[in-house]
mmCIF file with all atom_site columns, all heavy atoms in Angstrom:
data_model
loop_
_atom_site.group_PDB
_atom_site.id
_atom_site.type_symbol
_atom_site.label_atom_id
_atom_site.label_alt_id
_atom_site.label_comp_id
_atom_site.label_asym_id
_atom_site.label_entity_id
_atom_site.label_seq_id
_atom_site.pdbx_PDB_ins_code
_atom_site.Cartn_x
_atom_site.Cartn_y
_atom_site.Cartn_z
_atom_site.occupancy
_atom_site.B_iso_or_equiv
_atom_site.pdbx_formal_charge
_atom_site.auth_seq_id
_atom_site.auth_comp_id
_atom_site.auth_asym_id
_atom_site.auth_atom_id
_atom_site.pdbx_PDB_model_num
ATOM 1   N N   . ASP A 1 1  ? 200.233 76.212 68.215 1.00 96.00 ? 1  ASP A N   1
ATOM 2   C CA  . ASP A 1 1  ? 199.846 76.152 66.783 1.00 96.00 ? 1  ASP A CA  1
ATOM 3   C C   . ASP A 1 1  ? 199.130 77.423 66.358 1.00 96.00 ? 1  ASP A C   1
ATOM 4   O O   . ASP A 1 1  ? 198.085 77.368 65.660 1.00 96.00 ? 1  ASP A O   1
ATOM 5   C CB  . ASP A 1 1  ? 199.009 74.916 66.460 1.00 96.00 ? 1  ASP A CB  1
ATOM 6   C CG  . ASP A 1 1  ? 198.961 74.623 64.962 1.00 96.00 ? 1  ASP A CG  1
ATOM 7   O OD1 . ASP A 1 1  ? 199.774 75.222 64.204 1.00 96.00 ? 1  ASP A OD1 1
ATOM 8   O OD2 . ASP A 1 1  ? 198.129 73.794 64.554 1.00 96.00 ? 1  ASP A OD2 1
ATOM 9   N N   . ALA A 1 2  ? 199.629 78.556 66.747 1.00 98.00 ? 2  ALA A N   1
ATOM 10  C CA  . ALA A 1 2  ? 199.071 79.848 66.366 1.00 98.00 ? 2  ALA A CA  1
ATOM 11  C C   . ALA A 1 2  ? 200.230 80.826 66.150 1.00 98.00 ? 2  ALA A C   1
ATOM 12  O O   . ALA A 1 2  ? 201.053 81.024 67.038 1.00 98.00 ? 2  ALA A O   1
ATOM 13  C CB  . ALA A 1 2  ? 198.139 80.363 67.453 1.00 98.00 ? 2  ALA A CB  1
ATOM 14  N N   . VAL A 1 3  ? 200.302 81.410 64.960 1.00 98.00 ? 3  VAL A N   1
ATOM 15  C CA  . VAL A 1 3  ? 201.421 82.304 64.635 1.00 98.00 ? 3  VAL A CA  1
ATOM 16  C C   . VAL A 1 3  ? 200.896 83.554 63.935 1.00 98.00 ? 3  VAL A C   1
ATOM 17  O O   . VAL A 1 3  ? 199.841 83.527 63.282 1.00 98.00 ? 3  VAL A O   1
ATOM 18  C CB  . VAL A 1 3  ? 202.469 81.625 63.739 1.00 98.00 ? 3  VAL A CB  1
ATOM 19  C CG1 . VAL A 1 3  ? 203.080 80.424 64.441 1.00 98.00 ? 3  VAL A CG1 1
ATOM 20  C CG2 . VAL A 1 3  ? 201.830 81.197 62.398 1.00 98.00 ? 3  VAL A CG2 1
ATOM 21  N N   . VAL A 1 4  ? 201.631 84.624 64.089 1.00 97.00 ? 4  VAL A N   1
ATOM 22  C CA  . VAL A 1 4  ? 201.386 85.831 63.308 1.00 97.00 ? 4  VAL A CA  1
ATOM 23  C C   . VAL A 1 4  ? 202.364 85.798 62.138 1.00 97.00 ? 4  VAL A C   1
ATOM 24  O O   . VAL A 1 4  ? 203.571 85.750 62.318 1.00 97.00 ? 4  VAL A O   1
ATOM 25  C CB  . VAL A 1 4  ? 201.602 87.093 64.151 1.00 97.00 ? 4  VAL A CB  1
ATOM 26  C CG1 . VAL A 1 4  ? 201.375 88.360 63.279 1.00 97.00 ? 4  VAL A CG1 1
ATOM 27  C CG2 . VAL A 1 4  ? 200.670 87.117 65.344 1.00 97.00 ? 4  VAL A CG2 1
ATOM 28  N N   . LEU A 1 5  ? 201.827 85.800 60.926 1.00 97.00 ? 5  LEU A N   1
ATOM 29  C CA  . LEU A 1 5  ? 202.655 85.726 59.751 1.00 97.00 ? 5  LEU A CA  1
ATOM 30  C C   . LEU A 1 5  ? 203.417 87.038 59.531 1.00 97.00 ? 5  LEU A C   1
ATOM 31  O O   . LEU A 1 5  ? 202.896 88.101 59.850 1.00 97.00 ? 5  LEU A O   1
ATOM 32  C CB  . LEU A 1 5  ? 201.809 85.407 58.495 1.00 97.00 ? 5  LEU A CB  1
ATOM 33  C CG  . LEU A 1 5  ? 201.067 84.063 58.527 1.00 97.00 ? 5  LEU A CG  1
ATOM 34  C CD1 . LEU A 1 5  ? 200.139 83.968 57.335 1.00 97.00 ? 5  LEU A CD1 1
ATOM 35  C CD2 . LEU A 1 5  ? 202.058 82.899 58.535 1.00 97.00 ? 5  LEU A CD2 1
ATOM 36  N N   . PRO A 1 6  ? 204.639 86.967 59.022 1.00 94.00 ? 6  PRO A N   1
ATOM 37  C CA  . PRO A 1 6  ? 205.383 88.209 58.748 1.00 94.00 ? 6  PRO A CA  1
ATOM 38  C C   . PRO A 1 6  ? 204.706 88.961 57.623 1.00 94.00 ? 6  PRO A C   1
ATOM 39  O O   . PRO A 1 6  ? 203.921 88.412 56.845 1.00 94.00 ? 6  PRO A O   1
ATOM 40  C CB  . PRO A 1 6  ? 206.766 87.702 58.351 1.00 94.00 ? 6  PRO A CB  1
ATOM 41  C CG  . PRO A 1 6  ? 206.519 86.309 57.828 1.00 94.00 ? 6  PRO A CG  1
ATOM 42  C CD  . PRO A 1 6  ? 205.385 85.741 58.660 1.00 94.00 ? 6  PRO A CD  1
ATOM 43  N N   . ARG A 1 7  ? 205.035 90.235 57.500 1.00 93.00 ? 7  ARG A N   1
ATOM 44  C CA  . ARG A 1 7  ? 204.536 91.028 56.380 1.00 93.00 ? 7  ARG A CA  1
ATOM 45  C C   . ARG A 1 7  ? 205.015 90.436 55.087 1.00 93.00 ? 7  ARG A C   1
ATOM 46  O O   . ARG A 1 7  ? 206.173 90.090 54.936 1.00 93.00 ? 7  ARG A O   1
ATOM 47  C CB  . ARG A 1 7  ? 204.960 92.494 56.513 1.00 93.00 ? 7  ARG A CB  1
ATOM 48  C CG  . ARG A 1 7  ? 204.357 93.231 57.684 1.00 93.00 ? 7  ARG A CG  1
ATOM 49  C CD  . ARG A 1 7  ? 204.632 94.699 57.613 1.00 93.00 ? 7  ARG A CD  1
ATOM 50  N NE  . ARG A 1 7  ? 203.943 95.323 56.461 1.00 93.00 ? 7  ARG A NE  1
ATOM 51  C CZ  . ARG A 1 7  ? 203.952 96.617 56.220 1.00 93.00 ? 7  ARG A CZ  1
ATOM 52  N NH1 . ARG A 1 7  ? 204.607 97.451 57.017 1.00 93.00 ? 7  ARG A NH1 1
ATOM 53  N NH2 . ARG A 1 7  ? 203.316 97.093 55.159 1.00 93.00 ? 7  ARG A NH2 1
ATOM 54  N N   . MET A 1 8  ? 204.087 90.325 54.120 1.00 93.00 ? 8  MET A N   1
ATOM 55  C CA  . MET A 1 8  ? 204.402 89.702 52.842 1.00 93.00 ? 8  MET A CA  1
ATOM 56  C C   . MET A 1 8  ? 203.847 90.527 51.706 1.00 93.00 ? 8  MET A C   1
ATOM 57  O O   . MET A 1 8  ? 202.975 91.371 51.911 1.00 93.00 ? 8  MET A O   1
ATOM 58  C CB  . MET A 1 8  ? 203.779 88.288 52.806 1.00 93.00 ? 8  MET A CB  1
ATOM 59  C CG  . MET A 1 8  ? 204.299 87.320 53.825 1.00 93.00 ? 8  MET A CG  1
ATOM 60  S SD  . MET A 1 8  ? 203.386 85.752 53.810 1.00 93.00 ? 8  MET A SD  1
ATOM 61  C CE  . MET A 1 8  ? 201.847 86.237 54.561 1.00 93.00 ? 8  MET A CE  1
ATOM 62  N N   . GLY A 1 9  ? 204.310 90.248 50.504 1.00 94.00 ? 9  GLY A N   1
ATOM 63  C CA  . GLY A 1 9  ? 203.753 90.819 49.302 1.00 94.00 ? 9  GLY A CA  1
ATOM 64  C C   . GLY A 1 9  ? 202.408 90.197 49.007 1.00 94.00 ? 9  GLY A C   1
ATOM 65  O O   . GLY A 1 9  ? 202.041 89.161 49.564 1.00 94.00 ? 9  GLY A O   1
ATOM 66  N N   . LEU A 1 10 ? 201.662 90.813 48.101 1.00 96.00 ? 10 LEU A N   1
ATOM 67  C CA  . LEU A 1 10 ? 200.349 90.325 47.766 1.00 96.00 ? 10 LEU A CA  1
ATOM 68  C C   . LEU A 1 10 ? 200.339 88.885 47.258 1.00 96.00 ? 10 LEU A C   1
ATOM 69  O O   . LEU A 1 10 ? 199.465 88.093 47.620 1.00 96.00 ? 10 LEU A O   1
ATOM 70  C CB  . LEU A 1 10 ? 199.684 91.240 46.728 1.00 96.00 ? 10 LEU A CB  1
ATOM 71  C CG  . LEU A 1 10 ? 198.977 92.474 47.245 1.00 96.00 ? 10 LEU A CG  1
ATOM 72  C CD1 . LEU A 1 10 ? 198.473 93.341 46.073 1.00 96.00 ? 10 LEU A CD1 1
ATOM 73  C CD2 . LEU A 1 10 ? 197.814 92.056 48.133 1.00 96.00 ? 10 LEU A CD2 1
ATOM 74  N N   . ARG A 1 11 ? 201.334 88.542 46.426 1.00 96.00 ? 11 ARG A N   1
ATOM 75  C CA  . ARG A 1 11 ? 201.353 87.175 45.900 1.00 96.00 ? 11 ARG A CA  1
ATOM 76  C C   . ARG A 1 11 ? 201.583 86.169 47.022 1.00 96.00 ? 11 ARG A C   1
ATOM 77  O O   . ARG A 1 11 ? 200.957 85.109 47.044 1.00 96.00 ? 11 ARG A O   1
ATOM 78  C CB  . ARG A 1 11 ? 202.413 87.045 44.815 1.00 96.00 ? 11 ARG A CB  1
ATOM 79  C CG  . ARG A 1 11 ? 202.546 85.625 44.246 1.00 96.00 ? 11 ARG A CG  1
ATOM 80  C CD  . ARG A 1 11 ? 201.187 85.093 43.741 1.00 96.00 ? 11 ARG A CD  1
ATOM 81  N NE  . ARG A 1 11 ? 201.205 83.685 43.471 1.00 96.00 ? 11 ARG A NE  1
ATOM 82  C CZ  . ARG A 1 11 ? 201.369 83.153 42.275 1.00 96.00 ? 11 ARG A CZ  1
ATOM 83  N NH1 . ARG A 1 11 ? 201.520 83.928 41.183 1.00 96.00 ? 11 ARG A NH1 1
ATOM 84  N NH2 . ARG A 1 11 ? 201.330 81.846 42.113 1.00 96.00 ? 11 ARG A NH2 1
ATOM 85  N N   . GLN A 1 12 ? 202.441 86.500 47.980 1.00 97.00 ? 12 GLN A N   1
ATOM 86  C CA  . GLN A 1 12 ? 202.707 85.605 49.077 1.00 97.00 ? 12 GLN A CA  1
ATOM 87  C C   . GLN A 1 12 ? 201.466 85.441 49.963 1.00 97.00 ? 12 GLN A C   1
ATOM 88  O O   . GLN A 1 12 ? 201.166 84.337 50.420 1.00 97.00 ? 12 GLN A O   1
ATOM 89  C CB  . GLN A 1 12 ? 203.909 86.086 49.898 1.00 97.00 ? 12 GLN A CB  1
ATOM 90  C CG  . GLN A 1 12 ? 205.262 85.935 49.242 1.00 97.00 ? 12 GLN A CG  1
ATOM 91  C CD  . GLN A 1 12 ? 205.439 86.918 48.075 1.00 97.00 ? 12 GLN A CD  1
ATOM 92  O OE1 . GLN A 1 12 ? 205.012 88.072 48.162 1.00 97.00 ? 12 GLN A OE1 1
ATOM 93  N NE2 . GLN A 1 12 ? 206.053 86.459 46.999 1.00 97.00 ? 12 GLN A NE2 1
ATOM 94  N N   . VAL A 1 13 ? 200.750 86.537 50.180 1.00 97.00 ? 13 VAL A N   1
ATOM 95  C CA  . VAL A 1 13 ? 199.498 86.443 50.934 1.00 97.00 ? 13 VAL A CA  1
ATOM 96  C C   . VAL A 1 13 ? 198.486 85.598 50.203 1.00 97.00 ? 13 VAL A C   1
ATOM 97  O O   . VAL A 1 13 ? 197.805 84.753 50.799 1.00 97.00 ? 13 VAL A O   1
ATOM 98  C CB  . VAL A 1 13 ? 198.929 87.844 51.223 1.00 97.00 ? 13 VAL A CB  1
ATOM 99  C CG1 . VAL A 1 13 ? 197.549 87.744 51.882 1.00 97.00 ? 13 VAL A CG1 1
ATOM 100 C CG2 . VAL A 1 13 ? 199.858 88.640 52.105 1.00 97.00 ? 13 VAL A CG2 1
ATOM 101 N N   . ALA A 1 14 ? 198.367 85.778 48.886 1.00 97.00 ? 14 ALA A N   1
ATOM 102 C CA  . ALA A 1 14 ? 197.438 84.994 48.091 1.00 97.00 ? 14 ALA A CA  1
ATOM 103 C C   . ALA A 1 14 ? 197.796 83.479 48.164 1.00 97.00 ? 14 ALA A C   1
ATOM 104 O O   . ALA A 1 14 ? 196.886 82.648 48.247 1.00 97.00 ? 14 ALA A O   1
ATOM 105 C CB  . ALA A 1 14 ? 197.455 85.470 46.638 1.00 97.00 ? 14 ALA A CB  1
ATOM 106 N N   . ASP A 1 15 ? 199.072 83.186 48.181 1.00 97.00 ? 15 ASP A N   1
ATOM 107 C CA  . ASP A 1 15 ? 199.474 81.784 48.295 1.00 97.00 ? 15 ASP A CA  1
ATOM 108 C C   . ASP A 1 15 ? 199.042 81.202 49.654 1.00 97.00 ? 15 ASP A C   1
ATOM 109 O O   . ASP A 1 15 ? 198.623 80.065 49.746 1.00 97.00 ? 15 ASP A O   1
ATOM 110 C CB  . ASP A 1 15 ? 200.984 81.653 48.145 1.00 97.00 ? 15 ASP A CB  1
ATOM 111 C CG  . ASP A 1 15 ? 201.453 81.894 46.699 1.00 97.00 ? 15 ASP A CG  1
ATOM 112 O OD1 . ASP A 1 15 ? 200.601 81.814 45.803 1.00 97.00 ? 15 ASP A OD1 1
ATOM 113 O OD2 . ASP A 1 15 ? 202.627 82.188 46.509 1.00 97.00 ? 15 ASP A OD2 1
ATOM 114 N N   . GLN A 1 16 ? 199.174 82.007 50.711 1.00 97.00 ? 16 GLN A N   1
ATOM 115 C CA  . GLN A 1 16 ? 198.730 81.564 52.024 1.00 97.00 ? 16 GLN A CA  1
ATOM 116 C C   . GLN A 1 16 ? 197.216 81.325 52.064 1.00 97.00 ? 16 GLN A C   1
ATOM 117 O O   . GLN A 1 16 ? 196.726 80.329 52.588 1.00 97.00 ? 16 GLN A O   1
ATOM 118 C CB  . GLN A 1 16 ? 199.109 82.617 53.090 1.00 97.00 ? 16 GLN A CB  1
ATOM 119 C CG  . GLN A 1 16 ? 200.594 82.749 53.363 1.00 97.00 ? 16 GLN A CG  1
ATOM 120 C CD  . GLN A 1 16 ? 201.141 81.568 54.202 1.00 97.00 ? 16 GLN A CD  1
ATOM 121 O OE1 . GLN A 1 16 ? 200.392 80.874 54.876 1.00 97.00 ? 16 GLN A OE1 1
ATOM 122 N NE2 . GLN A 1 16 ? 202.454 81.391 54.161 1.00 97.00 ? 16 GLN A NE2 1
ATOM 123 N N   . LEU A 1 17 ? 196.479 82.255 51.465 1.00 98.00 ? 17 LEU A N   1
ATOM 124 C CA  . LEU A 1 17 ? 195.017 82.115 51.424 1.00 98.00 ? 17 LEU A CA  1
ATOM 125 C C   . LEU A 1 17 ? 194.605 80.905 50.623 1.00 98.00 ? 17 LEU A C   1
ATOM 126 O O   . LEU A 1 17 ? 193.663 80.182 51.013 1.00 98.00 ? 17 LEU A O   1
ATOM 127 C CB  . LEU A 1 17 ? 194.396 83.384 50.787 1.00 98.00 ? 17 LEU A CB  1
ATOM 128 C CG  . LEU A 1 17 ? 194.518 84.668 51.598 1.00 98.00 ? 17 LEU A CG  1
ATOM 129 C CD1 . LEU A 1 17 ? 194.100 85.877 50.744 1.00 98.00 ? 17 LEU A CD1 1
ATOM 130 C CD2 . LEU A 1 17 ? 193.626 84.611 52.855 1.00 98.00 ? 17 LEU A CD2 1
ATOM 131 N N   . ALA A 1 18 ? 195.284 80.643 49.538 1.00 97.00 ? 18 ALA A N   1
ATOM 132 C CA  . ALA A 1 18 ? 194.948 79.506 48.668 1.00 97.00 ? 18 ALA A CA  1
ATOM 133 C C   . ALA A 1 18 ? 195.119 78.175 49.386 1.00 97.00 ? 18 ALA A C   1
ATOM 134 O O   . ALA A 1 18 ? 194.417 77.209 49.101 1.00 97.00 ? 18 ALA A O   1
ATOM 135 C CB  . ALA A 1 18 ? 195.771 79.547 47.395 1.00 97.00 ? 18 ALA A CB  1
ATOM 136 N N   . ARG A 1 19 ? 196.043 78.129 50.305 1.00 97.00 ? 19 ARG A N   1
ATOM 137 C CA  . ARG A 1 19 ? 196.307 76.867 51.032 1.00 97.00 ? 19 ARG A CA  1
ATOM 138 C C   . ARG A 1 19 ? 195.458 76.692 52.287 1.00 97.00 ? 19 ARG A C   1
ATOM 139 O O   . ARG A 1 19 ? 195.449 75.615 52.878 1.00 97.00 ? 19 ARG A O   1
ATOM 140 C CB  . ARG A 1 19 ? 197.798 76.810 51.432 1.00 97.00 ? 19 ARG A CB  1
ATOM 141 C CG  . ARG A 1 19 ? 198.755 76.747 50.284 1.00 97.00 ? 19 ARG A CG  1
ATOM 142 C CD  . ARG A 1 19 ? 200.131 76.265 50.734 1.00 97.00 ? 19 ARG A CD  1
ATOM 143 N NE  . ARG A 1 19 ? 200.753 77.134 51.705 1.00 97.00 ? 19 ARG A NE  1
ATOM 144 C CZ  . ARG A 1 19 ? 201.568 78.135 51.404 1.00 97.00 ? 19 ARG A CZ  1
ATOM 145 N NH1 . ARG A 1 19 ? 201.845 78.369 50.144 1.00 97.00 ? 19 ARG A NH1 1
ATOM 146 N NH2 . ARG A 1 19 ? 202.121 78.867 52.372 1.00 97.00 ? 19 ARG A NH2 1
ATOM 147 N N   . ALA A 1 20 ? 194.743 77.716 52.680 1.00 97.00 ? 20 ALA A N   1
ATOM 148 C CA  . ALA A 1 20 ? 193.983 77.669 53.955 1.00 97.00 ? 20 ALA A CA  1
ATOM 149 C C   . ALA A 1 20 ? 192.728 76.857 53.822 1.00 97.00 ? 20 ALA A C   1
ATOM 150 O O   . ALA A 1 20 ? 192.050 76.862 52.774 1.00 97.00 ? 20 ALA A O   1
ATOM 151 C CB  . ALA A 1 20 ? 193.670 79.098 54.409 1.00 97.00 ? 20 ALA A CB  1
ATOM 152 N N   . ARG A 1 21 ? 192.365 76.179 54.929 1.00 97.00 ? 21 ARG A N   1
ATOM 153 C CA  . ARG A 1 21 ? 191.092 75.452 54.960 1.00 97.00 ? 21 ARG A CA  1
ATOM 154 C C   . ARG A 1 21 ? 189.920 76.438 54.999 1.00 97.00 ? 21 ARG A C   1
ATOM 155 O O   . ARG A 1 21 ? 188.859 76.154 54.397 1.00 97.00 ? 21 ARG A O   1
ATOM 156 C CB  . ARG A 1 21 ? 191.052 74.575 56.209 1.00 97.00 ? 21 ARG A CB  1
ATOM 157 C CG  . ARG A 1 21 ? 189.799 73.721 56.372 1.00 97.00 ? 21 ARG A CG  1
ATOM 158 C CD  . ARG A 1 21 ? 189.820 72.495 55.542 1.00 97.00 ? 21 ARG A CD  1
ATOM 159 N NE  . ARG A 1 21 ? 190.967 71.631 55.938 1.00 97.00 ? 21 ARG A NE  1
ATOM 160 C CZ  . ARG A 1 21 ? 191.367 70.582 55.252 1.00 97.00 ? 21 ARG A CZ  1
ATOM 161 N NH1 . ARG A 1 21 ? 190.746 70.264 54.102 1.00 97.00 ? 21 ARG A NH1 1
ATOM 162 N NH2 . ARG A 1 21 ? 192.384 69.855 55.642 1.00 97.00 ? 21 ARG A NH2 1
ATOM 163 N N   . ILE A 1 22 ? 190.119 77.550 55.684 1.00 98.00 ? 22 ILE A N   1
ATOM 164 C CA  . ILE A 1 22 ? 189.053 78.539 55.829 1.00 98.00 ? 22 ILE A CA  1
ATOM 165 C C   . ILE A 1 22 ? 189.709 79.858 56.174 1.00 98.00 ? 22 ILE A C   1
ATOM 166 O O   . ILE A 1 22 ? 190.832 79.911 56.677 1.00 98.00 ? 22 ILE A O   1
ATOM 167 C CB  . ILE A 1 22 ? 188.053 78.117 56.940 1.00 98.00 ? 22 ILE A CB  1
ATOM 168 C CG1 . ILE A 1 22 ? 186.807 79.029 56.913 1.00 98.00 ? 22 ILE A CG1 1
ATOM 169 C CG2 . ILE A 1 22 ? 188.723 78.094 58.307 1.00 98.00 ? 22 ILE A CG2 1
ATOM 170 C CD1 . ILE A 1 22 ? 185.687 78.515 57.829 1.00 98.00 ? 22 ILE A CD1 1
ATOM 171 N N   . MET A 1 23 ? 189.018 80.950 55.832 1.00 98.00 ? 23 MET A N   1
ATOM 172 C CA  . MET A 1 23 ? 189.505 82.284 56.219 1.00 98.00 ? 23 MET A CA  1
ATOM 173 C C   . MET A 1 23 ? 188.391 83.008 56.975 1.00 98.00 ? 23 MET A C   1
ATOM 174 O O   . MET A 1 23 ? 187.226 82.991 56.571 1.00 98.00 ? 23 MET A O   1
ATOM 175 C CB  . MET A 1 23 ? 189.845 83.053 54.947 1.00 98.00 ? 23 MET A CB  1
ATOM 176 C CG  . MET A 1 23 ? 190.781 84.265 55.201 1.00 98.00 ? 23 MET A CG  1
ATOM 177 S SD  . MET A 1 23 ? 189.911 85.775 55.589 1.00 98.00 ? 23 MET A SD  1
ATOM 178 C CE  . MET A 1 23 ? 191.253 86.964 55.335 1.00 98.00 ? 23 MET A CE  1
ATOM 179 N N   . VAL A 1 24 ? 188.766 83.615 58.113 1.00 98.00 ? 24 VAL A N   1
ATOM 180 C CA  . VAL A 1 24 ? 187.838 84.429 58.885 1.00 98.00 ? 24 VAL A CA  1
ATOM 181 C C   . VAL A 1 24 ? 188.496 85.794 59.062 1.00 98.00 ? 24 VAL A C   1
ATOM 182 O O   . VAL A 1 24 ? 189.638 85.904 59.539 1.00 98.00 ? 24 VAL A O   1
ATOM 183 C CB  . VAL A 1 24 ? 187.553 83.819 60.298 1.00 98.00 ? 24 VAL A CB  1
ATOM 184 C CG1 . VAL A 1 24 ? 186.556 84.693 61.043 1.00 98.00 ? 24 VAL A CG1 1
ATOM 185 C CG2 . VAL A 1 24 ? 187.053 82.385 60.140 1.00 98.00 ? 24 VAL A CG2 1
ATOM 186 N N   . GLY A 1 25 ? 187.818 86.837 58.634 1.00 97.00 ? 25 GLY A N   1
ATOM 187 C CA  . GLY A 1 25 ? 188.435 88.161 58.691 1.00 97.00 ? 25 GLY A CA  1
ATOM 188 C C   . GLY A 1 25 ? 187.458 89.291 58.759 1.00 97.00 ? 25 GLY A C   1
ATOM 189 O O   . GLY A 1 25 ? 186.262 89.160 58.449 1.00 97.00 ? 25 GLY A O   1
ATOM 190 N N   . LEU A 1 26 ? 187.943 90.444 59.213 1.00 96.00 ? 26 LEU A N   1
ATOM 191 C CA  . LEU A 1 26 ? 187.167 91.669 59.140 1.00 96.00 ? 26 LEU A CA  1
ATOM 192 C C   . LEU A 1 26 ? 186.986 92.071 57.706 1.00 96.00 ? 26 LEU A C   1
ATOM 193 O O   . LEU A 1 26 ? 187.662 91.561 56.796 1.00 96.00 ? 26 LEU A O   1
ATOM 194 C CB  . LEU A 1 26 ? 187.857 92.766 59.953 1.00 96.00 ? 26 LEU A CB  1
ATOM 195 C CG  . LEU A 1 26 ? 188.155 92.457 61.424 1.00 96.00 ? 26 LEU A CG  1
ATOM 196 C CD1 . LEU A 1 26 ? 188.846 93.643 62.088 1.00 96.00 ? 26 LEU A CD1 1
ATOM 197 C CD2 . LEU A 1 26 ? 186.873 92.102 62.182 1.00 96.00 ? 26 LEU A CD2 1
ATOM 198 N N   . ASP A 1 27 ? 186.068 93.000 57.481 1.00 92.00 ? 27 ASP A N   1
ATOM 199 C CA  . ASP A 1 27 ? 185.836 93.493 56.137 1.00 92.00 ? 27 ASP A CA  1
ATOM 200 C C   . ASP A 1 27 ? 187.085 94.202 55.613 1.00 92.00 ? 27 ASP A C   1
ATOM 201 O O   . ASP A 1 27 ? 187.414 95.303 56.030 1.00 92.00 ? 27 ASP A O   1
ATOM 202 C CB  . ASP A 1 27 ? 184.655 94.471 56.130 1.00 92.00 ? 27 ASP A CB  1
ATOM 203 C CG  . ASP A 1 27 ? 184.411 95.108 54.766 1.00 92.00 ? 27 ASP A CG  1
ATOM 204 O OD1 . ASP A 1 27 ? 184.763 94.487 53.778 1.00 92.00 ? 27 ASP A OD1 1
ATOM 205 O OD2 . ASP A 1 27 ? 183.872 96.230 54.743 1.00 92.00 ? 27 ASP A OD2 1
ATOM 206 N N   . SER A 1 28 ? 187.836 93.511 54.758 1.00 92.00 ? 28 SER A N   1
ATOM 207 C CA  . SER A 1 28 ? 189.109 94.048 54.247 1.00 92.00 ? 28 SER A CA  1
ATOM 208 C C   . SER A 1 28 ? 189.308 93.506 52.868 1.00 92.00 ? 28 SER A C   1
ATOM 209 O O   . SER A 1 28 ? 188.679 92.526 52.448 1.00 92.00 ? 28 SER A O   1
ATOM 210 C CB  . SER A 1 28 ? 190.272 93.635 55.151 1.00 92.00 ? 28 SER A CB  1
ATOM 211 O OG  . SER A 1 28 ? 190.543 92.259 55.016 1.00 92.00 ? 28 SER A OG  1
ATOM 212 N N   . GLY A 1 29 ? 190.245 94.118 52.137 1.00 94.00 ? 29 GLY A N   1
ATOM 213 C CA  . GLY A 1 29 ? 190.536 93.649 50.803 1.00 94.00 ? 29 GLY A CA  1
ATOM 214 C C   . GLY A 1 29 ? 191.023 92.207 50.772 1.00 94.00 ? 29 GLY A C   1
ATOM 215 O O   . GLY A 1 29 ? 190.702 91.452 49.856 1.00 94.00 ? 29 GLY A O   1
#
């Protein structure tokens, strides 16, 4: 249950973020 998502456009990434329970990331846009 761990995958690397394919490269996506900004809107597709935003959709993924919107559905996530939580986000953990390095300092990035």
Side-chain angles (χ1 to χ4, degrees):
D1 196 13
V3 299
V4 178
L5 297 173
R7 292 190 66 176
M8 298 174 285
L10 274 176
R11 178 54 193 261
Q12 288 71 39
V13 174
D15 289 342
Q16 291 284 341
L17 292 169
R19 295 198 298 267
R21 181 81 61 191
I22 190 171
M23 199 272 196
V24 182
L26 302 181
D27 176 27
S28 72

